[in-house]
Amino acid sequence: MTKELNVGIVGTKFMGKAHSNAWKKAPLFFDTPAKPVLKVACGRHEASLKSFAEQWGWQETETDWKKLVSRPDIDIIDIALPQQLHYEVALAAAREGKHIFCEKPLAMNSRQAEEMLKVCEENKVVHYLNHNYRRTPAVALAKRMIEDGKIGRIFHWRCAYQQDWIVDPAFPLTWQLRQETAQAGPQWDLNSHAVDLAHFLIGEVATVSALTSHFITERPLADETTSGNLKAESSGTEKGKVTVEDAALMMVQFENGAIGSFEATRFATGKKNGLTFEIYGSKGSLLFDLERMNELKFYDNQEADDLKGFRTILATESSHPYMEHWWPAGHIIGYEHSFVHAVADFITAITEQKSIEPNFADGLKIIKVLEAGLQSANQKQQVSL
C-alpha cells in the first residue's frame, strides 16, 4: 500500500471524534488500497482545536474551512458538522475537486441537496453520506438475506428511533431545537437514519401520511460554550421558543406495495439511542435492535411447525459482512466500528473510481420523504412522492 489520501476534517465534536477514530483504524484492520493521512483538522476555537488535533493525531490545524478546502494537497474533505453547515462546505469542496465524506442528514432541504448532488456530479468527485447503520454487520446481513429470498415478499416495515434527552423541561434550547439551525426535530435527525434503512432494505417510498407533536414549547436559552452532544447548560432564566417538533410518526406505502411505519421521538423516557426495525414477509421475518447491534432475529416460515420460532443470529462469524476483519466469532464489535467500515468502503470507492452508497443521491431521496412527512403533518393529508 503506497498511495496516500490526505484528509481534511471540518468539525471536532462528537462526529469529529467518531470520524477521526475511523480514519485511523480503517487501514489497520482492512487491506485498504490507499492509506488515509490525517492531515488537517478545522474548527472555530484554536485552544480546543489544538487539543483535538493532538489527541487524534491530525498533523495540522486550520480555523478557516475555506482555506482548508482550497489546499491542493487535500484529497478528501470530511464534513463532521451540524446539517445547517453542510451545504456551503460541500459545494466548495466539490468545486475544488475534493472527495466528500459527509455526516447526515445531508442538508436543510431538498433544494440544497439537489444542488450538492449536481455540483458533485459535475466535478466527478466521490460523495458519501454517512448513514453508518447500513454498515452494521447485522443490518448488512439482513440485506443479504432479503436479496437471497429468505424473507420472500415483504408486507410490513416497522421502525422506531427513540431517545429521551429532552424529557426534562429544564433542558436548554440548543441548536437542535430551533428550525433555523436544525430544519426539524427528530423527523430530520432520527427519521433520516430510519428512512435510509427502509430505502436500503425495503425500497423507495411512494406515499406518506404523518403526524407531529410538540410537548414543550419553551425552554431556557442554552449557553452554547458548554453545549456538547445531547448535553447543555442554560445561560440564565430567559427562555426561547422551541420551533421544531418533539416527535413524529409517519405511515408510508412503498413502491413495491409494502406498508410501513416510522416513529421518531426524543421523549421516550429510558431510551438513550433506541433504533429498532421489524420486517415481515411471506417466507420469514427479521428484527433488529441497535442496542443489541450484534444480533439479528430471524423467523423462518419454511421450518416445520414444531421448529418454528424466532432465533437469534449472532452476526460475528467471519462469513458475516465485515466481520472477517475483526475478532474471532462471538467477540462483539460496537458503534464505532460502523464508521470504520464506511471509511474502508469509501477509500476503496475513491481508488477504484466507483460510487458508494448511500451518497448524495440517496440523501436527496431521504430528504424528499422527510419533507413529505412534514407537509403531510401540516396539511393533515396524505402526500405522494
Side-chain angles (χ1 to χ4, degrees):
M1 182 174 62
T2 57
K3 181 177 176 60
E4 292 185 342
L5 294 169
N6 288 335
V7 183
I9 192 170
V10 190
T12 61
K13 301 298 183 181
F14 171 34
M15 281 299 116
K17 295 175 182 177
H19 290 202
S20 297
N21 178 68
W23 291 115
K24 292 169 72 72
K25 293 291 179 63
L28 297 177
F29 288 90
F30 288 73
D31 185 20
T32 55
K35 180 181 179 180
V37 176
L38 282 67
K39 191 69 175 178
V40 184
C42 181
R44 291 181 296 173
H45 307 295
E46 287 191 14
S48 60
L49 173 60
K50 182 180 178 182
S51 175
F52 170 84
E54 290 177 351
Q55 181 174 0
W56 291 98
W58 292 92
Q59 295 178 5
E60 303 174 35
T61 61
E62 175 60 69
T63 56
D64 185 345
W65 67 262
K66 294 181 180 178
K67 290 181 180 179
L68 171 61
V69 300
S70 66
R71 283 180 53 154
D73 61 336
I74 297 298
D75 303 297
I76 297 167
I77 292 295
D78 182 340
I79 303 175
L81 296 166
Q83 56 261 33
Q84 75 269 22
L85 303 174
H86 292 182
Y87 172 72
E88 192 174 3
V89 178
L91 290 184
R95 286 168 178 151
E96 291 287 347
K98 315 300 184 187
H99 304 298
I100 301 173
F101 189 103
C102 185
E103 255 312 310
K104 47 63 61 180
L106 178 58
M108 294 287 277
N109 52 57
S110 56
R111 178 194 59 78
Q112 286 187 349
E114 285 172 350
E115 188 174 359
M116 292 162 73
L117 173 61
K118 178 175 179 288
V119 173
C120 283
E121 290 179 339
E122 288 174 346
N123 290 277
K124 296 180 172 56
V125 300
V126 177
H127 44 98
Y128 169 70
L129 180 62
N130 190 41
H131 283 290
N132 56 299
Y133 297 141
R134 282 196 188 199
R135 287 177 162 79
T136 298
V139 174
L141 175 61
K143 173 69 169 179
R144 188 167 76 192
M145 293 173 71
I146 291 168
E147 290 181 337
D148 288 346
K150 300 290 187 184
I151 310 304
R153 178 188 174 189
I154 295 175
F155 301 128
H156 292 286
W157 160 269
R158 296 181 62 191
C159 186
Y161 204 152
Q162 301 163 307
Q163 298 177 343
D164 72 350
W165 54 281
I166 59 171
V167 169
D168 185 352
F171 187 89
L173 187 68
T174 59
W175 69 266
Q176 294 100 326
L177 307 181
R178 294 184 284 119
Q179 186 179 24
E180 62 269 27
T181 49
Q183 182 60 26
Q187 172 70 353
W188 224 251
D189 180 29
L190 303 184
N191 262 343
S192 59
H193 267 312
V195 172
D196 179 69
L197 286 173
H199 283 172
F200 180 54
L201 297 168
I202 310 299
E204 293 190 18
V205 172
T207 65
V208 178
S209 298
L211 168 71
T212 60
S213 186
H214 298 79
F215 302 127
I216 296 174
T217 58
E218 284 190 336
R219 291 183 178 273
L221 297 182
D223 179 355
E224 295 296 344
T225 63
T226 66
S227 296
N229 181 59
L230 313 187
K231 298 178 181 178
E233 295 178 10
S234 61
S235 60
T237 58
E238 186 179 356
K239 292 188 174 183
K241 289 188 178 299
V242 177
T243 52
V244 300
E245 80 289 347
D246 288 321
L249 296 171
M250 290 196 298
M251 294 186 298
V252 308
Q253 184 157 41
F254 294 92
E255 290 183 354
N256 61 13
I259 60 173
S261 66
F262 298 82
E263 174 188 345
T265 180
R266 296 164 175 165
F267 278 76
T269 306
K271 287 284 190 176
K272 302 307 174 184
N273 194 41
L275 170 60
T276 59
F277 65 72
E278 304 173 9
I279 301 170
Y280 299 101
S282 59
K283 292 184 179 180
S285 303
L286 294 169
L287 311 180
F288 174 77
D289 182 349
L290 182 63
E291 293 180 348
R292 302 183 69 89
M293 63 171 283
N294 290 273
E295 299 176 1
L296 181 67
K297 292 188 181 297
F298 172 48
Y299 180 91
D300 186 356
N301 204 34
Q302 310 303 302
E303 290 274 14
D305 288 347
D306 59 341
L307 297 177
K308 284 181 178 176
F310 279 97
R311 61 185 176 90
T312 300
I313 301 169
L314 185 63
T316 60
E317 298 287 342
S318 60
S319 57
H320 291 138
Y322 299 104
M323 288 307 301
E324 65 178 315
H325 300 280
W326 295 107
W327 320 117
H331 293 70
I332 59 175
I333 62 171
Y335 169 78
E336 69 276 15
H337 293 79
S338 62
F339 291 81
V340 179
H341 302 161
V343 163
D345 289 345
F346 182 68
I347 292 170
T348 299
I350 291 173
T351 55
E352 294 182 356
Q353 297 182 320
K354 295 180 179 178
S355 63
I356 179 175
E357 294 179 351
N359 52 40
F360 287 11
D362 298 296
L364 173 59
K365 292 176 183 178
I366 293 166
I367 286 181
K368 286 185 175 180
V369 174
L370 302 181
E371 287 180 333
L374 293 178
Q375 180 185 346
S376 173
N378 290 332
Q379 297 179 353
K380 295 180 172 53
Q381 63 182 22
Q382 186 181 81
V383 174
S384 297
L385 284 113

